[in-house]
């Protein structure tokens, strides 16, 4: 995983840690679970990729693997992407399949907040790009601009 050298802290969430952003490049969906290596107990994850090539059972296996690593918030972006997890209690999920990728990143940075259980130690916010070098390059070169964009 690559630290993106940018962080945000929203003043109205003073108990929550600063969001540190990382890029995780994955060649395939199957490698996603083992490629995500958070340093914080809980983490937020924006997954970008074409999910047409993986079954629902495969997505469930990956989601379970990520939950074991401390997944606290999940955003999904791309064709056939849907936020899917093995449980439905307090893990927040959103899907952004019909939005521009830059809007999904902005939402992930500024509006995605886990429930209080996860928020206390959720400082790693990981953008995982699956099988798309162009999107990976875009994240690496554009994240600072996207995060500073005013959405008022």
């Amino acid at each position: 995983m690559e630290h993106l050298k940018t962080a945000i802290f929203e003043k109205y969430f003073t108990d929550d840690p600063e969001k540190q952003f990382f890029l995780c490049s994955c060649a395939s969906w199957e490698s996603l679970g083992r490629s995500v290596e958070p340093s914080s107990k809980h983490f937020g994850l924006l997954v970008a990729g074409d999910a047409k090539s993986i079954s629902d059972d495969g997505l469930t296996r990956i989601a379970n693997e990520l939950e074991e690593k401390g997944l606290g918030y999940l955003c999904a972006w791309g064709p056939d992407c849907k936020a899917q997890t093995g449980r439905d209690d307090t893990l927040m999920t959103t899907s952004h399949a019909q939005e521009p990728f830059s809007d999904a990143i902005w939402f992930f940075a500024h509006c995605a907040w886990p429930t209080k259980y996860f928020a206390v130690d959720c400082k790693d916010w990981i953008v995982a790009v699956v099988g798309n070098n162009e999107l990976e390059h875009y994240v690496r070169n554009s994240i600072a601009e996207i995060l500073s964009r005013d959405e008022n």
Side-chain angles (χ1 to χ4, degrees):
M1 288 192 346
E2 174 184 343
H3 188 255
L4 292 171
K5 296 184 180 163
T6 188
I8 63 166
F9 181 76
E10 301 291 348
K11 292 179 183 144
Y12 42 87
F13 291 109
T14 56
D15 293 340
D16 298 337
E18 180 178 68
K19 286 184 175 183
Q20 297 292 324
F21 292 92
F22 296 85
L23 173 62
C24 179
S25 301
C26 306
S28 67
W29 285 100
E30 290 75 19
S31 66
L32 177 62
R34 35 180 204 277
S35 298
V36 171
E37 292 293 333
S39 63
S40 58
K41 181 177 177 183
H42 294 111
F43 64 97
L45 180 67
L46 168 59
V47 179
D50 187 342
K52 292 177 187 171
S53 65
I54 187 164
S55 68
D56 285 349
D57 287 343
L59 286 175
T60 299
R61 275 192 306 279
I62 293 165
N64 289 338
E65 197 173 341
L66 293 167
E67 285 181 50
E68 289 176 16
K69 289 186 172 190
L71 181 64
Y73 197 107
L74 174 66
C75 290
W77 180 90
D80 211 33
C81 273
K82 53 190 167 270
Q84 179 172 336
T85 65
R87 66 176 198 219
D88 60 357
D89 54 357
T90 58
L91 180 64
M92 301 295 292
T93 64
T94 59
S95 180
H96 303 269
Q98 305 302 316
E99 299 172 19
F101 188 41
S102 62
D103 289 357
I105 293 171
W106 191 93
F107 176 91
F108 181 65
H110 295 283
C111 301
W113 294 101
T115 60
K116 203 62 175 169
Y117 172 79
F118 294 107
V120 175
D121 50 19
C122 188
K123 69 173 184 158
D124 290 357
W125 290 79
I126 303 164
V127 179
V129 177
V130 179
N132 190 317
N133 292 335
E134 190 175 305
L135 278 181
E136 175 188 333
H137 180 75
Y138 174 76
V139 170
R140 188 176 290 115
N141 293 306
S142 304
I143 192 148
E145 179 183 328
I146 293 167
L147 295 185
S148 65
R149 187 173 76 194
D150 186 8
E151 290 294 309
N152 290 331

